[in-house]
């Protein structure tokens, strides 16, 4: 996306140059913002400043949105407190530095809520008790560790770094936060020398087979190697990288360029892990400039006023589509985004000019590019479900191509090329991965093949994958984007822009060469790449390359020859055919009609008692269709695989039904979609056929707090010296958050609980004080609950299943559909007891059982003895 004027090898940023190079992952937020606290000694328990962020709609990779919407993020974070006013150590809020909000913002860019726990942290039992002062201190320590490593990502941050200034009575929290961040790949990952040195020379743990050497496979391989596993990567191609492919194009007179034919844009670089890897390599990223002129079919530039008018109308139409799906409710799951937009378009179709209609179709093509799918196939209900998780920051290119990242990540990783896997066998004893006539055996396997390969059935799984996963594979969409890369003898286009677009008068061809990227500076030569999206991308698969190049040149000549600029013949051209590629059968995933974000979670579920795992961009509901999404899933599954391996090593019994954390959570969630009894925040499921008053039932309590928008920003916040950061940062952690806790009761206890008057608060008091019940996390329920779950599941087997695409509830109760509509993803909030006004009290926590710890405390490289955990870093 970046065409700077000269092919200088110097990448030093120059504020006077129109070509912007930057290090967007430096996380030097301290230098960008000022402490918003005008009061030097605020009350740490009541401090609540509101910071303003901007929220774009679904990624517009070709053109940024001019008028993003905004929301506010409440940060309930303590600041420094005079020593004379500090409470006793047991109730004290830790003070690590004087800018906890700065560190909270950095944690936000890493995917953490600023002042609470993630769902994954709760599942991993990082705290024995949810809520209270201990959680506040944990989040402060966690945020500090992340910020400390981001100061210098080329170093290994050891736990010893923090021991000198974090008091000893907080060391248990330090252990928990550090071990979690390290084992799950939030710190000390990448290719820096101090990190590579941590990979042991000899493997000491079981063997792992990874299918696919894309970003997910490479990330997992490096992490597992550092954990001490014996890793073998099988790759069908002759190269690593998968859908990330940088091809060197060259011609006469030493003209050459590096063309990214696959993944090319680092979308949102604040905290982007691939930006961090680039930083470790000493690379400066090139910011894609917003200027993107559009040209009519005859080569005339589109009138700027008309451009703004149509774009504004297009954005309003998307807003109408959001309101429509809210009104339609469950019905919207079976309606496409294209159908809704077409309905709106018909209303004013006769009142616009041909140029305005073509311009509107250009925006539709750009939307199909962002989703790699036809609008007629995208779900109206959930097409933009990942918007709340979009990383803030600029869209950037890596000079020289993303192949640099692939090369660095593949270094010293044992990869066997041209090994096309066709069969994967898995059982409780291990795995067999078969490529051709060769059989590779291991303790575990990680499948990172693209969704297109899974849809095609190119790999046979023995036994067959669970029907739940097969249905998820079928429901999700997998779209197509193609490119034409052209290396010219010299640059003939404008040098003050990185993108320009071209309109079409044929709606069926609206995505054909609709957008051009100039890579002149970042590629090292005069390179243009034309994009083909939507329906045109599928037709392009059968178009002869000569015809494609001829058509592109016609467009370029129509734009530049009227300006008196000669368009030369290209020295070399390359046309992609990702849809025909047997190793992917497409480009990237999307939420098709009938699918939802749940399906990404389903694809991520492991099978076979923790023997077969899955990673890749189609296994993350937060960052699908992105390179960094694929990368983080590799880190995620490395942690999961190490966890299961440690369980087996320690001979801890893992119940086989459900066989893993993912499927157990999903099964329980499915059962609670149709609770047998529901009142207030309480839902209950039990076996209908067993009417014994002493028969077991599972109770779920839902705690949630709707964070209200603030109408005014604190005066201090208005005086920030640099508000761009706040406009770029965005996170799902800023809206409505929920937490589910559980317990086992008898049927009679449930009936008695229902009769308690006084609302949820009195019911909670009855549970904890009268019955002495402990509310636990899902994993704290234990194997007795698993037996109950299995029995209920089997009993409901003949009942009509509820679609896993929705979690709709009666009016007044938040639903997943509503979350998709309002772009406010629910995240488990680590607060437990409601006040009478409906809010959640951090101080008065219900009793959460120590059982929450259970096996979740097992980490890679951690020896568990009682509650003690060893340092993962081995400093």
């Amino acid at each position: 996306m970046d065409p700077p004027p000269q092919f200088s090898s110097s990448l030093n940023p120059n504020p006077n140059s129109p070509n912007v190079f930057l290090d967007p992952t430096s996380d030097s937020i301290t230098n960008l913002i000022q402490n918003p606290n005008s009061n030097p000694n605020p009350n740490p328990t009541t401090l609540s400043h509101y910071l303003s962020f901007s929220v774009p709609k679904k990624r517009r990779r070709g053109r940024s949105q001019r008028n993003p919407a905004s929301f506010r993020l409440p940060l309930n974070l303590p600041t420094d407190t005079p020593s004379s006013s500090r409470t006793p150590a047991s109730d004290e809020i830790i003070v690590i530095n004087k800018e906890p909000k700065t560190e909270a913002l950095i944690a936000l860019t890493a995917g953490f809520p600023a002042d609470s726990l993630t769902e994954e942290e709760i599942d991993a039992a990082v705290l024995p008790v949810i809520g209270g002062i201990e959680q506040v201190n944990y989040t402060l320590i966690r945020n500090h560790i992340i910020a400390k490593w981001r100061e210098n990502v080329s170093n290994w941050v050891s736990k010893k770094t923090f021991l000198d200034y974090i008091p000893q009575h907080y060391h248990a929290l330090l252990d928990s936060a550090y071990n979690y961040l390290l084992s799950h790949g939030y710190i000390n990952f990448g290719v820096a020398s101090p990190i590579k040195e941590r990979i042991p020379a000899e493997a000491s743990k079981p063997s792992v087979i990874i299918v696919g050497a894309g970003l997910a496979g490479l990330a997992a391989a490096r992490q597992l190697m550092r954990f001490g596993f014996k890793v073998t990567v099988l790759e069908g191609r002759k190269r690593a990288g998968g859908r990330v492919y940088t091809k060197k194009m060259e011609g006469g007179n030493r003209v050459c360029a590096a063309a990214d034919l696959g993944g090319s844009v680092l979308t949102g670089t604040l905290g982007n892990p691939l930006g961090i890897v680039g930083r470790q390599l000493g690379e400066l990223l090139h910011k894609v400039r917003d200027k993107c002129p559009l040209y009519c079919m005859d080569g005339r530039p589109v009138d700027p006023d008309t451009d703004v008018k149509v774009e504004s109308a297009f954005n309003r139409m998307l807003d109408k589509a959001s309101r429509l799906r809210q009104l339609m409710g469950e019905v919207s799951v079976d309606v496409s985004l294209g159908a809704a937009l077409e309905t709106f378009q018909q209303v004013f179709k006769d009142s616009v000019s041909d140029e305005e209609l073509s311009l509107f179709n250009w925006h539709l093509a750009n939307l199909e590019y962002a989703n790699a799918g036809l609008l007629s196939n995208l779900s109206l209900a959930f097409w933009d479900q990942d918007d709340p998780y979009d990383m803030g920051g600029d869209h950037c290119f890596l000079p020289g191509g993303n192949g640099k990242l692939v090369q660095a990540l593949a270094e010293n990783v044992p990869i066997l090329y041209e090994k096309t896997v066709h069969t994967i066998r898995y059982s409780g004893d291990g795995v067999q991965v078969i490529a051709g006539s060769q059989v590779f055996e291991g303790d575990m396997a990680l499948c990172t093949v693209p969704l297109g390969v899974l849809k095609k059935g190119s790999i046979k799984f023995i036994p067959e994958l669970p029907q739940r996963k097969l249905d998820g594979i079928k429901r999700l969409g997998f779209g197509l984007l193609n490119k034409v890369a052209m290396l010219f003898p010299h640059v003939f286009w404008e040098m003050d822009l990185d993108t320009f677009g071209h309109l079409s008068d044929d709606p069926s061809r609206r995505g054909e060469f609709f957008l051009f990227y100039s890579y002149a500076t970042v590629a090292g030569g005069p390179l243009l790449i034309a994009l083909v999206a939507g329906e045109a991308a599928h037709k392009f698969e059968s178009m002869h390359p000569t015809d494609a190049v001829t058509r592109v040149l016609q467009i370029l000549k129509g734009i530049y020859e009227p300006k008196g600029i000669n368009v030369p013949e290209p020295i070399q051209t390359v046309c992609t055919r990702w849809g025909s590629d047997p190793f992917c059968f497409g480009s990237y995933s999307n939420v098709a009609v009938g699918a939802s974000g749940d399906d990404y979670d389903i694809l991520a579920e492991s099978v076979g008692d923790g023997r077969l795992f899955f990673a890749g961009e189609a296994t993350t509901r937060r960052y699908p269709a992105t390179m960094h999404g694929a990368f983080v899933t590799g880190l995620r599954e490395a942690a999961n695989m190490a966890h299961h391996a440690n369980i087996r090593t320690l001979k801890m019994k893992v119940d086989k039904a459900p066989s893993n954390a993912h499927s157990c959570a999903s099964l329980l969630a499915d059962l609670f979609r149709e609770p047998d009894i529901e009142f207030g925040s309480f839902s209950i499921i039990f076996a209908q056929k067993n009417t014994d008053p002493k028969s077991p039932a599972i109770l779920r309590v839902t705690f949630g707090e709707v964070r209200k928008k603030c109408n005014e920003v604190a005066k201090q916040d208005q005086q920030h010296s640099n508000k761009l950061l706040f406009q770029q940062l965005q996170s799902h952690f800023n809206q409505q958050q929920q937490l589910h806790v559980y317990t086992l009761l008898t049927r009679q206890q449930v009936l008695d609980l229902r009769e308690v008057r006084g609302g949820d608060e009195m019911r909670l008091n009855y549970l904890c004080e009268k019955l002495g019940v402990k509310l636990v996390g899902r994993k704290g329920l234990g194997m007795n609950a698993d037996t109950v779950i299995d029995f209920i599941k089997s009993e409901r087997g003949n009942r009509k299943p509820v679609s896993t695409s929705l979690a709709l509830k009666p009016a007044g109760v938040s639903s997943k559909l509503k979350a998709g509509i309002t772009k406010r993803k629910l995240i488990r909030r680590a607060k437990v007891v409601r006040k009478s006004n409906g809010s959640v009290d951090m101080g008065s926590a219900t009793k959460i059982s120590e059982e929450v710890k259970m096996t979740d405390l097992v980490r890679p490289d951690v020896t568990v003895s009682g509650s003690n955990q060893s340092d993962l870093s081995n400093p």
Side-chain angles (χ1 to χ4, degrees):
M1 290 184 183
D2 320 7
Q6 50 202 8
F7 309 132
S8 169
S9 59
S10 173
L11 300 181
N12 293 329
N14 181 357
N16 299 320
S17 170
N19 308 293
V20 184
F21 287 94
L22 70 159
D23 182 354
T25 61
S26 63
D27 293 320
S28 55
I29 296 178
T30 307
N31 298 325
L32 296 176
I33 64 175
Q34 295 177 352
N35 194 329
N37 303 323
S38 58
N39 178 3
N41 299 312
N43 185 335
T45 63
T46 61
L47 180 63
S48 180
H49 287 290
Y50 283 79
L51 305 178
S52 178
F53 295 78
S54 70
V55 186
K57 295 182 182 297
K58 181 72 181 183
R59 293 177 304 277
R60 286 184 169 82
R61 304 186 183 197
R63 172 181 276 190
S64 61
Q65 185 177 358
R66 293 189 173 118
N67 297 305
S70 64
F71 59 81
R72 305 197 184 283
L73 169 66
L75 297 179
N76 300 305
L77 297 171
T79 56
D80 199 2
T81 307
S83 57
S84 60
S85 64
R86 290 179 181 171
T87 55
S90 59
D91 299 321
E92 182 183 77
I93 293 180
I94 188 172
V95 177
I96 304 176
N97 63 39
K98 296 183 179 181
E99 295 186 0
K101 287 186 178 175
T102 298
E103 296 186 341
L105 290 174
I106 294 174
L108 267 174
T109 68
F112 288 91
D115 56 352
S116 59
L117 305 182
T118 65
E119 180 178 351
E120 291 77 13
E121 286 177 297
I122 294 173
D123 279 347
V126 295
L127 290 174
V129 177
I130 300 174
I133 207 72
E134 189 173 31
Q135 178 183 297
V136 174
N137 287 330
Y138 170 87
T139 58
L140 289 170
I141 293 173
R142 178 200 67 194
N143 297 350
H144 179 67
I145 295 173
I146 296 171
K148 191 69 174 178
W149 184 62
R150 292 290 181 87
E151 289 178 2
N152 186 353
V153 295
S154 294
N155 282 341
W156 178 278
V157 61
S158 166
K159 192 186 300 182
K160 287 183 177 179
T161 306
F162 311 100
L163 294 177
D164 292 339
Y165 56 89
I166 292 183
Q168 186 172 0
H169 53 277
Y170 295 115
H171 283 185
L173 295 178
L174 172 61
D175 288 345
S176 182
Y178 182 87
N179 290 346
Y180 178 84
L181 294 173
L182 183 63
S183 64
H184 286 74
Y186 290 104
I187 59 173
N188 295 339
F189 67 83
V191 296
S193 295
I195 296 172
K196 292 190 291 185
E197 292 170 358
R198 295 284 173 153
I199 298 177
E202 297 291 335
S204 59
K205 295 190 175 182
S207 60
V208 172
I209 301 170
I210 298 178
V211 182
L215 290 177
L218 295 176
R222 298 193 73 86
Q223 193 80 330
L224 288 168
M225 288 169 64
R226 187 176 65 75
F227 291 162
F229 287 88
K230 181 181 179 181
V231 174
T232 302
V233 181
L234 304 180
E235 170 56 52
R237 305 179 191 271
K238 297 180 180 180
R239 59 171 180 82
R243 286 167 282 170
V244 177
Y245 178 34
T246 303
K247 178 178 176 58
K248 183 178 181 181
M249 300 179 66
E250 52 191 343
N253 299 323
R254 297 182 179 179
V255 177
C256 62
D260 276 323
L261 301 181
S264 57
V265 185
L266 293 180
T267 53
T269 49
L270 285 175
N272 190 314
L274 292 179
I276 290 175
V277 175
R279 187 175 161 196
Q280 292 172 336
L281 295 174
E283 298 287 349
L284 296 177
L285 302 183
H286 179 91
K287 177 187 179 298
V288 178
R289 289 166 286 184
D290 293 336
K291 183 179 179 181
C292 180
L294 302 180
Y295 295 91
C296 298
M297 289 72 72
D298 57 6
R300 292 181 297 105
V302 172
D303 176 67
D305 292 337
T306 302
D307 189 0
V308 172
K309 172 186 173 183
V310 174
E311 182 176 2
S312 177
F314 176 77
N315 289 334
R316 289 197 303 271
M317 193 171 294
L318 285 179
D319 292 336
K320 288 183 179 180
S322 294
R323 290 194 293 271
L324 174 63
R325 64 185 176 188
Q326 188 170 10
L327 293 172
M328 293 177 67
E330 184 176 357
V331 178
S332 67
V333 176
D334 299 319
V335 178
S336 73
L337 174 64
L341 295 180
E342 178 66 22
T343 301
F344 294 133
Q345 186 178 359
Q346 292 298 327
V347 175
F348 67 90
K349 190 172 184 179
D350 296 333
S351 61
V352 299
S353 66
D354 291 341
E355 180 177 319
E356 289 174 331
L357 188 58
S358 295
L359 185 54
F360 184 85
N361 281 321
W362 185 92
H363 285 288
L364 294 178
N366 197 36
L367 195 59
E368 290 179 319
Y369 162 39
N371 291 274
L374 303 179
L375 296 182
S376 58
N377 294 336
L378 295 179
S379 167
L380 172 62
F382 299 115
W383 70 276
D384 55 352
Q385 63 84 35
D386 59 316
D387 263 10
Y389 310 102
D390 193 51
M391 287 189 173
D394 298 307
H395 287 192
C396 296
F397 284 109
L398 179 69
N402 294 317
K404 289 183 176 180
L405 302 176
V406 173
Q407 182 180 1
L409 291 169
E411 181 184 2
N412 296 326
V413 173
I415 305 174
L416 301 180
Y417 295 102
E418 298 185 84
K419 302 295 180 184
T420 303
V421 172
H422 56 79
T423 305
I424 297 178
R425 299 177 183 270
Y426 62 96
S427 68
D429 297 325
V431 296
Q432 287 185 336
V433 180
I434 305 174
S437 60
Q438 292 182 281
V439 179
F440 299 86
E441 295 186 342
D443 190 66
M444 296 176 288
L446 174 61
C447 181
T448 71
V449 299
L451 175 59
V453 174
L454 295 177
K455 282 181 168 290
K456 204 75 172 180
S458 303
I459 297 178
K460 182 178 182 180
F461 294 91
I462 303 175
E464 182 60 275
L465 295 175
Q467 189 61 45
R468 169 187 177 82
K469 188 179 286 286
L470 293 176
D471 292 343
I473 291 171
K474 183 178 180 180
R475 282 191 298 264
L476 276 178
F478 195 65
L480 184 60
L481 175 74
N482 276 313
K483 300 181 179 182
V484 177
M486 298 164 290
L487 179 65
F488 290 94
H490 60 268
V491 174
F492 59 85
W493 55 91
E494 297 90 342
M495 299 307 300
D496 62 342
L497 52 81
D498 298 326
T499 58
F500 59 91
H502 178 262
L503 310 186
S504 173
D505 56 359
D506 183 354
S508 67
R509 299 176 62 182
R510 65 192 179 202
E512 183 180 273
F513 317 124
F514 81 104
L515 187 66
F516 289 80
Y517 280 137
S518 170
Y519 284 75
T521 299
V522 295
L527 179 70
L528 270 182
I529 290 185
L531 302 187
V532 192
E535 184 180 347
H538 293 271
K539 295 179 179 179
F540 183 81
E541 293 278 322
S542 58
M543 183 184 294
H544 194 280
T546 301
D547 295 337
V549 173
T550 299
R551 173 65 181 140
V552 174
L553 289 177
Q554 287 176 347
I555 293 173
L556 292 174
K557 290 178 180 179
I559 294 173
Y560 289 102
E561 287 188 348
K563 301 177 182 180
I565 300 174
N566 178 57
V567 177
E569 291 294 316
I571 299 173
Q572 185 183 9
T573 61
V574 177
C575 297
T576 66
R577 297 283 189 271
W578 289 108
S580 307
D581 189 323
F583 297 110
C584 60
F585 294 109
S587 299
Y588 39 93
S589 64
N590 56 57
V591 184
V593 174
S596 76
D598 289 348
D599 292 312
Y600 288 112
D601 294 336
I602 292 172
L603 260 66
E605 294 172 1
S606 61
V607 299
D609 285 332
R611 296 293 183 174
L612 178 57
F613 300 78
F614 294 83
E617 57 86 12
T619 69
T620 169
R621 73 185 302 156
R622 294 186 181 186
Y623 315 116
T626 63
M627 291 184 290
H628 61 268
F631 184 85
V632 297
T633 64
L635 299 177
R636 177 197 72 202
E637 291 310 306
N640 287 336
M641 296 172 83
H643 173 71
H644 280 276
N646 281 345
I647 289 177
R648 283 189 287 269
T649 300
L650 296 171
K651 298 181 180 179
M652 298 176 69
K653 183 178 180 181
V654 179
D655 189 70
K656 295 184 178 181
S659 61
N660 58 80
H662 286 303
S663 59
C664 181
S666 300
L667 177 56
L668 197 58
D670 284 346
L671 293 176
F672 270 104
R673 295 187 198 282
E674 291 184 293
D676 296 295
I677 298 179
E678 192 170 18
F679 48 87
S681 299
F682 298 76
S683 304
I684 299 94
I685 56 174
F686 47 69
Q688 291 284 354
K689 294 181 180 179
N690 189 349
T691 58
D692 183 351
K694 296 183 179 180
S695 61
I698 298 178
L699 168 74
R700 183 180 77 177
V701 186
T702 301
F703 298 100
E705 176 184 6
V706 179
R707 292 184 163 188
K708 300 179 180 179
K709 293 185 179 180
C710 181
N711 293 326
E712 296 183 359
V713 185
K715 182 178 180 181
Q716 303 96 309
D717 296 337
Q718 295 175 348
Q719 297 174 348
H720 281 171
S721 61
N722 192 322
K723 290 189 178 181
L724 178 60
L725 173 70
F726 301 107
Q727 293 173 347
Q728 293 175 329
L729 281 174
Q730 48 212 315
S731 170
H732 65 289
F733 302 114
N734 65 321
Q735 298 289 336
Q736 183 178 4
Q737 307 199 354
Q738 282 190 341
L739 166 69
H740 297 306
V741 288
Y742 305 85
T743 191
L744 278 172
L745 296 177
T746 66
R747 181 186 285 252
Q748 186 60 52
Q749 287 174 327
V750 169
L751 298 177
D752 293 342
L753 177 65
R754 186 173 59 177
E755 299 305 314
V756 174
R757 298 294 177 246
D760 289 348
E761 185 175 4
M762 294 304 297
R763 293 189 183 106
L764 280 172
N765 184 68
Y766 179 84
L767 271 177
C768 299
E769 302 300 329
K770 177 79 173 182
L771 299 182
V773 166
K774 296 178 180 179
L775 297 175
V776 299
R778 175 185 52 77
K779 293 186 179 181
L781 282 172
M783 284 179 276
N784 289 334
D786 290 346
T787 303
V788 178
I789 292 170
D790 287 342
F791 190 83
I792 298 173
K793 177 189 175 186
S794 62
E795 186 183 76
R796 293 187 179 184
N798 295 325
R799 291 164 57 176
K800 184 178 180 180
V802 175
S803 170
T804 58
S805 301
L806 283 174
L808 294 175
K809 292 187 178 293
V813 181
S814 296
S815 68
K816 189 157 295 183
L817 177 62
K818 181 178 179 182
I821 294 166
T822 60
K823 305 177 186 177
R824 296 174 184 177
K825 174 65 185 126
L826 307 181
I827 185 70
R828 292 183 178 179
R829 179 83 167 169
K831 296 184 179 181
V832 191
V833 177
R834 292 181 180 273
K835 296 178 182 177
S836 59
N837 62 4
S839 64
V840 182
D841 189 351
M842 285 284 288
S844 56
T846 57
K847 291 184 285 185
I848 305 297
S849 173
E850 291 288 337
E851 296 173 38
V852 172
K853 292 183 179 179
M854 288 192 68
T855 62
D856 300 291
L857 288 177
V858 182
R859 303 280 192 274
D861 295 343
V862 177
T863 301
V864 178
S865 176
S867 61
N868 295 324
Q869 301 179 27
S870 64
D871 186 350
L872 285 172
S873 67
N874 300 318

